[in-house]
């Protein structure tokens, strides 16, 4: 047995068979079971495999059903799991270089290791190693293209590089994957506002003015959408105020 984290992720280590039944249960939901079959057993020279399960949890009678979700399962070799967990321990102890080395070792042992790629990318991004972080994010997206956290981190890297237009597009993808997370739309709108700041309208270019206007209109539209989902997010109203202020400026 195991319990998921806040993102719904879980893992089992040291598995030796090739067939399993995953039983998912939660309070107020009907339990669901799905079979997972792997082709081969893990050995010293046999890498692990990945399987993605589509699991729909249905609320018990009298409650509103949730949207379907995806549970991503990987059969991770024990040495790779041990290296990854060592990296997490190093990270908690602020030993950044050791943490990165451990994540890289886990990936070397299991090249398709989603969590190791994602965690490594996050650590590299914090160190300002953006190109290396993007490389790890690409590997994580290849392993599991349906995880919105990959797009969220990718967009944050773009924001740090002041590539706001690209960040806005990536946040839009994250919002499609996880419509219940209003922060993605808020971040998309913020990226559009920052993009409008970069647009040079001082020279009087019609194209530049149109680009700036489009960015602000889209940002306003997105922010108003967020207020319908959650009007208690203080930053939404702050960003809306920025939009209205900028729309009142003269180029």
């Amino acid at each position: 047995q195991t319990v998921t984290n806040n993102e719904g992720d879980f893992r089992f280590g040291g598995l030796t068979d090739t067939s399993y039944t995953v039983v998912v249960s939660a309070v107020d939901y009907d339990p669901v079971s799905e079979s997972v079959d792997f082709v081969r057993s893990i050995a010293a020279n046999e890498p692990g495999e990945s399987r993605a399960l589509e699991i729909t949890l249905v609320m018990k009678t009298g409650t509103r059903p949730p949207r379907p979700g995806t549970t991503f399962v990987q059969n991770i070799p024990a040495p790779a799991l041990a290296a990854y967990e060592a990296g997490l321990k190093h990270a908690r102890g602020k030993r950044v270089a050791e943490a990165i080395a451990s994540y890289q070792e886990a990936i070397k042992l299991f090249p398709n290791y989603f969590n190791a790629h994602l965690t490594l990318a996050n650590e590299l991004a914090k160190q300002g190693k953006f190109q290396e972080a993007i490389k790890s994010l690409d590997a994580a997206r290849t392993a599991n293209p349906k995880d919105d956290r990959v797009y969220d981190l990718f967009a944050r890297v773009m924001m740090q590089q002041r590539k706001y237009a690209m960040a806005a597009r990536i946040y839009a993808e994250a919002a499609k994957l996880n419509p219940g997370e209003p922060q993605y739309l808020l971040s998309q709108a913020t990226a559009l506002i920052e993009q409008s700041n970069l647009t040079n309208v001082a020279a009087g270019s019609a194209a530049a003015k149109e680009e700036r206007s489009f960015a602000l209109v889209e940002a306003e539209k997105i922010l108003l959408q967020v207020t319908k989902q959650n009007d208690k997010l203080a930053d939404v109203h702050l960003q809306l105020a920025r939009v209205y202020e900028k729309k009142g400026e003269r180029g």
Side-chain angles (χ1 to χ4, degrees):
Q1 286 186 322
T2 189
V3 178
T4 68
N5 62 17
N6 291 336
E7 286 75 37
D9 298 326
F10 65 93
R11 64 176 181 266
F12 291 102
L15 303 179
T16 57
D17 295 327
T18 57
S19 295
Y20 300 89
T21 299
V22 178
V23 179
V24 181
S25 61
V27 178
D28 295 329
Y29 291 83
D30 292 324
V32 180
S33 63
E34 291 285 347
S35 297
V36 185
D37 295 312
F38 297 99
V39 176
R40 56 182 180 269
S41 298
I42 289 179
N45 297 318
E46 290 288 341
E49 302 172 75
S50 301
R51 294 290 183 273
L53 300 179
E54 296 286 344
I55 295 180
T56 301
L57 289 179
V58 179
M59 284 187 173
K60 294 177 180 178
T61 304
T63 54
R64 185 165 54 92
R67 67 180 181 89
T70 298
T71 298
F72 183 68
V73 181
Q74 288 192 299
N75 190 14
I76 302 165
L81 180 59
Y84 175 70
E85 291 181 337
L88 296 176
K89 185 176 181 180
H90 287 312
R92 288 192 293 269
K94 308 298 183 183
R95 297 182 294 274
V96 176
E98 291 87 344
I100 290 175
S102 293
Y103 299 142
Q104 291 171 334
E105 177 64 18
I107 291 167
K108 182 179 178 180
L109 293 167
F110 182 30
N112 204 37
Y113 199 159
F114 172 76
N115 279 341
H117 282 297
L118 182 61
T119 310
L120 174 61
N122 186 54
E123 197 63 63
L124 291 169
K126 288 192 290 185
Q127 302 304 313
K129 299 178 180 180
F130 299 130
Q131 293 307 310
E132 294 178 56
I134 290 171
K135 184 178 179 180
S136 290
L137 284 170
D138 283 338
R141 182 171 54 180
T142 298
N144 182 12
K146 294 185 178 181
D147 196 306
D148 52 285
R149 294 172 300 164
V150 176
Y151 295 85
D152 177 34
L153 180 53
F154 195 1
R156 282 188 277 130
V157 169
M158 293 298 101
M159 291 287 285
Q160 288 178 275
Q161 295 183 294
R162 296 168 61 85
K163 297 178 180 179
Y164 300 121
M166 182 175 292
R169 291 194 293 271
I170 298 171
Y171 275 127
E173 290 300 317
K176 288 179 184 177
L177 289 169
N178 188 357
E181 177 49 75
Q183 188 62 45
Y184 294 152
L185 290 177
L186 174 57
S187 296
Q188 181 188 3
T190 302
L192 287 168
I193 296 170
E194 296 301 332
Q195 176 62 24
S196 74
N197 288 338
L198 294 182
T199 306
N200 183 14
V201 298
S205 167
K209 291 181 179 179
E210 183 177 353
E211 179 183 346
R212 182 176 186 274
S213 176
F214 175 81
L216 291 174
V217 168
E218 285 299 302
E220 180 183 10
K221 185 189 305 181
I222 293 166
L223 290 168
L224 291 175
Q225 179 183 342
V226 176
T227 61
K228 294 179 181 179
Q229 298 178 1
N230 189 338
D231 62 357
K232 295 181 180 180
L233 290 174
D235 202 31
V236 175
H237 301 287
L238 173 63
Q239 298 304 328
L240 268 173
R242 291 182 67 200
V243 169
Y244 295 143
E245 179 186 10
K246 292 177 184 302
K247 288 177 72 175
E249 293 176 352
R250 296 186 181 274

